[in-house]
Amino acid sequence: MAENGVQQHLLHDGDRSKMPPPGRARRFRRCQTAPSHNVEQGSILQRQHMSRKGASGTLPPVPPKGLLTSARPRFWLVGILLLAYLLAGTAAFYLAMDDMSGERSGNRALDALYFCVVTMTTVGYGDIVPSSDVAKLLACIFAFAGVALVGAFLSKAADYLVEKQEALVFRAVHLNHADDPKSLRDMEANKVRYKLYTATGLLAVVLASGMAFLTKVEGMRPVDAFYCVCATVTTLGYGDRSFSSTAGRAFAAAWITVSTLVVALFFLYAAELASERRQRALAHWVLSRRTTSMDLEAADLDGDNKVSAAEFALYKLKELGKIRQEEIAEFLEEFEELDVDHCGTLSSHDLAVAQLG
């Protein structure tokens, strides 16, 4: 009885009065999702969309949420946390600079900032190291704080930058079809791929800028510069090649932060794209393989030796890993509780009686 209610819910409201005769395919609609948690934001976007209605009376397609409409993270919070970390770290290591050993640039404050950034990004060149117990404990505190706090918020900021850049990549690829709904669907389907393309471009820019600076300012050979850049962006930090001049450490304070984050995003999106491809391969296998009698037996939720359209759809969703049997059982149990008259369908009267009970 519960499955009949689920199947009836799948029928399009406008098609109930126009049911096809026996033998013809039935039409179903997608289940509507739950209301948005941000109704006010949705209404604002809808009013903006309606205001773009042209003289022809047609509305332009609404871009899917994601690439072009993703919410902006709180950059003021990101900036405050990063600034507080750098100020506290620079001040602390400035005071403890006498308890550190290694190569100095001649600028005490710049060396303190440089060591703070190298610690935060876990590069750890080893050109400046703490020598006293107090300095070592201070470095441990800022190492954990940098990894746990600052790194997390910096990743959100960098992800937003990639989101903005990938929209530019899409417009460059689909320049003449940017307002086409099909193009927007393609963009949503290839969202991770555009992210990877953007991260790849940013990575190339970061590597090239670091090599150019090390070659011209630090006087390294191209091979040594490339070696130092790779050791830095992967946070290996061997220490035999590093930024030693005053200008080099000022550049490194910003470049190391950006470069290590870009590399992390590059490998993150590469892994996400590989996982997405495996998921698509699984979906293609599930949708293309022939249904057997064992599948029908497993899809028969109510045990009536018949599989309805709703039961078949749920079984396919289970194969795709989109839903679990335990979740289906919970949904059906909730349906039975709301179906007070046990007719197999839900109505406003059923909900009113169930809430009173």
Side-chain angles (χ1 to χ4, degrees):
M1 296 289 289
E3 276 302 306
N4 292 332
V6 177
Q7 182 176 345
Q8 290 292 330
H9 179 67
L10 290 172
L11 288 174
H12 195 287
D13 295 336
D15 292 338
R16 288 179 178 173
S17 60
K18 298 181 291 183
M19 290 293 293
R24 292 183 60 185
R26 294 172 295 179
R27 298 178 61 188
F28 297 93
R29 66 172 176 90
R30 297 178 182 176
C31 293
Q32 295 180 353
T33 57
S36 172
H37 67 283
N38 196 340
V39 179
E40 181 179 357
Q41 181 179 3
S43 61
I44 294 175
L45 292 175
Q46 183 66 23
R47 288 196 299 269
Q48 293 176 349
H49 177 59
M50 293 293 294
S51 65
R52 296 195 300 268
K53 187 174 181 180
S56 60
T58 60
L59 289 172
V62 180
K65 183 179 180 182
L67 296 180
L68 302 180
T69 59
S70 57
R72 174 177 296 192
R74 297 179 178 179
F75 280 110
W76 61 268
L77 179 59
V78 175
I80 289 176
L81 289 174
L82 177 59
L83 182 62
Y85 179 92
L86 293 178
L87 289 176
T90 301
F93 293 126
Y94 179 87
L95 298 175
M97 191 57 63
D98 293 334
D99 296 326
M100 295 187 178
S101 60
E103 301 177 5
R104 307 292 178 86
S105 67
N107 189 321
R108 186 185 181 100
L110 183 58
D111 289 339
L113 175 62
Y114 170 76
F115 181 77
C116 181
V117 171
V118 169
T119 302
M120 177 185 68
T121 57
T122 69
V123 171
Y125 283 126
D127 49 356
I128 298 179
V129 294
S131 55
S132 68
D133 292 342
V134 174
K136 290 178 181 178
L137 292 176
L138 191 63
C140 292
I141 293 174
F142 276 91
F144 275 103
V147 172
L149 180 61
V150 180
F153 284 100
L154 282 177
S155 64
K156 292 183 179 180
D159 188 65
Y160 172 74
L161 295 178
V162 172
E163 291 271 352
K164 296 292 290 184
Q165 292 296 324
E166 69 183 7
L168 299 178
V169 173
F170 167 76
R171 291 191 179 97
V173 176
H174 306 282
L175 184 61
N176 297 326
H177 307 283
D179 293 331
D180 183 22
K182 183 179 183 300
S183 298
L184 293 175
R185 289 194 298 269
D186 292 340
M187 178 179 64
E188 188 70 16
N190 297 295
K191 182 177 180 180
V192 178
R193 183 178 300 175
Y194 291 127
K195 285 184 178 182
L196 182 59
Y197 291 162
T198 305
T200 302
L202 293 176
L203 178 59
V205 172
V206 165
L207 294 178
S209 61
M211 285 186 60
F213 187 90
L214 289 172
T215 302
K216 294 182 178 181
V217 179
E218 297 291 337
M220 294 186 185
R221 297 184 303 119
V223 174
D224 291 335
F226 181 70
Y227 166 75
C228 180
V229 164
C230 292
T232 301
V233 299
T234 56
T235 69
L236 289 175
Y238 288 123
D240 53 344
R241 293 288 186 276
S242 61
F243 298 86
S244 57
S245 65
T246 301
R249 291 190 174 176
F251 172 79
W255 182 82
I256 292 175
T257 303
V258 175
S259 61
T260 53
L261 187 56
V262 168
V263 170
L265 288 175
F266 172 79
F267 286 107
L268 172 65
Y269 294 141
E272 188 177 357
L273 181 61
S275 176
E276 186 179 84
R277 286 179 175 176
R278 289 194 298 268
Q279 183 66 25
R280 289 182 179 179
L282 174 61
H284 176 73
W285 177 80
V286 170
L287 296 176
S288 60
R289 76 180 187 89
R290 299 184 61 181
T291 303
T292 64
S293 57
M294 296 181 61
D295 295 325
L296 293 179
E297 182 178 353
D300 186 13
L301 293 177
D302 52 7
D304 61 352
N305 296 325
K306 296 180 180 179
V307 176
S308 65
E311 289 175 327
F312 186 78
L314 288 175
Y315 178 70
K316 287 295 184 180
L317 289 175
K318 285 171 55 180
E319 281 193 308
L320 291 174
K322 303 293 186 180
I323 193 171
R324 295 181 293 113
Q325 180 63 39
E326 293 79 6
E327 295 171 336
I328 297 176
E330 292 178 1
F331 298 153
L332 293 179
E333 182 179 352
E334 180 183 2
F335 184 91
E336 291 291 344
E337 293 177 356
L338 296 175
D339 187 16
V340 293
D341 55 2
H342 304 289
C343 65
T345 58
L346 293 180
S347 63
S348 300
H349 174 73
D350 293 328
L351 294 180
V353 174
Q355 290 174 359
L356 291 175

